[in-house]
Amino acid sequence: MVNKKITSIDDLSAKDIQSIAEQAIKFKKSKKNYTRKVSKNIFNLFLEPSTRTTISFELAARKLGHNSININFEKSSLSKGESFNDTMDTLISMKPDALIIRDKNNFSPREIEKKNKIPVINAGDGTNEHPTQALLDYCVIKEIFKNKKIKIGICGDIKHSRVAHSNIKLLSKLGYQIHIIAPSYFLDKGGIEKINNKIIFHKSLNSVKNLDILMMLRVQKERIRKNAKNLMSSFKKNFCLQNKHLLNKPYLMHPGPVNRNIEISDDVLNNYPNSLILRQVEMGVYLRMACLKYILK
Ligand code: CP
């Protein structure tokens, strides 16, 4: 039998995405906790910091009646100098039923799945992808707009954002109209056009009108160390979201964590009535329950 995996949005068909989203929305409505005679052991290996993804995967496993075993860099023998491959071989020897991994290296979840043939979920790999974030964002969009094909803007550090890459793939697969708003230093236009050549690009938040949803992204300062200070201050000056950009009242999304007053002003973050940011966090638990159910089938 071939193992299920979510190492990229590429692993999922449009039908898979819809069925995972429908399951997540069902879990949210039922709010039920499950007990099992035989629980699965789910290893959560987080080698980069996380609040939302790590806790929601742990909660999701518990709510489904499974065991969640959490390991991070500081608590693992990686911090004593063990190599990544030796650590992986060690974990695999303990026979996890599934592995959730966040890593700074692009494509490592895919490589682990290929080598070990166990169900793997990518919880964010470098600048590549964060498929469960895109799936949970889609669940929130689906809850509000059902199957209506709305206009969605994605603004910010597209180039270094795994969230943007997964969202662009997912929304393109489902036929949404996508607007990208970004300065040239945060954009690899050619790479994005390879995913979808119908995307519309904008150089300023002032030039996009009538969006249904505006998704702001975190500036990935840890991935742009060399020029971080200059780029953050240029971005803040030209792209920090203010009330004047929200006159047609789009819904506002952000995967979190937010760099306050870099991507979104305090005033918008604290007071904008159409913000979905905490609803995204809440959906994260139910979506990850649906993802675990999908890969453990
Ligand atoms: N959105 C997201 O991945 O947040 P965390 O880094 O807190 O998990």
Side-chain angles (χ1 to χ4, degrees):
M1 202 182 79
V2 180
N3 280 313
K4 292 269 175 81
K5 58 180 189 274
I6 309 179
T7 61
S8 157
I9 291 296
D10 298 334
D11 294 334
L12 304 171
S13 65
K15 201 170 148 205
D16 293 328
I17 293 169
Q18 292 295 4
S19 97
I20 291 170
E22 278 157 23
Q23 180 63 69
I25 293 168
K26 255 191 227 163
F27 277 138
K28 184 176 169 188
K29 278 189 188 141
S30 88
K31 293 197 160 51
K32 197 173 148 189
N33 289 343
Y34 296 79
T35 48
R36 278 169 209 283
K37 285 203 183 98
V38 182
S39 304
K40 305 272 186 181
N41 294 318
I42 298 157
F43 286 18
N44 287 330
L45 177 61
F46 275 72
L47 302 179
E48 282 195 325
S50 166
T51 298
R52 293 151 195 78
T53 316
T54 181
I55 292 177
S56 59
F57 266 118
E58 186 174 349
L59 253 179
R62 286 189 193 186
K63 281 165 101 48
L64 288 171
H66 296 309
N67 301 317
S68 179
I69 293 111
N70 301 313
I71 326 133
N72 63 25
F73 179 85
E74 287 74 21
K75 287 190 185 152
S76 77
S77 289
L78 284 160
S79 67
K80 295 191 281 188
E82 185 169 53
S83 77
F84 181 79
N85 287 340
D86 289 346
T87 295
M88 284 318 308
D89 289 346
T90 303
L91 294 177
I92 298 297
S93 303
M94 293 187 234
K95 310 237 178 304
D97 293 297
L99 177 76
I100 319 298
I101 176 163
R102 170 169 289 189
D103 188 29
K104 66 177 191 309
N105 296 307
N106 290 14
F107 307 113
S108 61
R110 191 178 74 183
E111 280 155 24
I112 291 163
E113 192 278 332
K114 234 194 234 168
K115 182 176 166 201
N116 299 290
K117 303 276 177 273
I118 60 160
V120 172
I121 298 181
N122 177 0
D125 59 334
T127 58
N128 179 41
E129 280 208 49
H130 192 348
T132 62
Q133 179 69 44
L135 285 162
L136 79 86
D137 292 344
Y138 173 61
C139 291
V140 174
I141 295 170
K142 189 176 167 76
E143 267 193 324
I144 296 170
F145 289 99
K146 311 292 184 262
N147 293 322
K148 194 173 159 204
K149 288 293 178 275
I150 54 168
K151 267 169 76 170
I152 301 177
I154 304 177
C155 174
D157 181 2
I158 308 286
K159 189 172 173 176
H160 305 100
S161 170
R162 52 200 182 198
V163 173
H165 298 143
S166 284
N167 260 306
I168 290 166
K169 284 185 178 178
L170 185 153
L171 296 170
S172 300
K173 210 167 244 199
L174 300 187
Y176 284 88
Q177 191 187 122
I178 305 171
H179 294 252
I180 297 280
I181 309 116
S184 55
Y185 50 83
F186 280 160
L187 184 64
D188 166 17
K189 198 172 170 201
I192 300 299
E193 282 172 330
K194 271 192 206 147
I195 302 170
N196 178 348
N197 61 14
K198 293 198 181 99
I199 287 176
I200 302 155
F201 292 90
H202 304 264
K203 287 202 162 77
S204 156
L205 271 167
N206 299 322
S207 70
V208 238
K209 305 271 180 263
N210 303 323
L211 292 173
D212 298 292
I213 289 183
L214 175 59
M215 188 184 291
M216 298 300 293
L217 301 169
R218 183 173 73 84
V219 174
Q220 305 275 301
K221 53 189 171 197
E222 71 277 26
R223 304 188 206 283
I224 51 169
R225 281 191 210 286
K226 243 171 54 192
N227 296 322
K229 220 171 160 194
N230 288 345
L231 297 186
M232 299 272 279
S233 96
S234 162
F235 185 83
K236 174 183 169 154
K237 199 166 134 210
N238 298 302
F239 289 87
C240 183
L241 191 68
Q242 318 279 340
N243 282 311
K244 67 179 180 185
H245 301 123
L246 297 165
L247 297 180
N248 78 317
K249 300 278 175 252
Y251 283 101
L252 171 63
M253 301 181 89
H254 189 299
V258 177
N259 292 306
R260 279 180 174 261
N261 300 309
I262 303 289
E263 298 112 36
I264 304 180
S265 67
D266 272 342
D267 190 18
V268 170
L269 199 56
N270 296 341
N271 303 313
Y272 185 59
N274 288 354
S275 171
L276 299 174
I277 296 171
L278 294 177
R279 188 161 163 177
Q280 290 170 265
V281 176
E282 183 190 10
M283 183 59 87
V285 177
Y286 303 105
L287 177 274
R288 283 159 182 137
M289 288 173 77
C291 289
L292 290 176
K293 186 170 181 211
Y294 171 82
I295 59 158
L296 293 171
K297 259 181 192 164

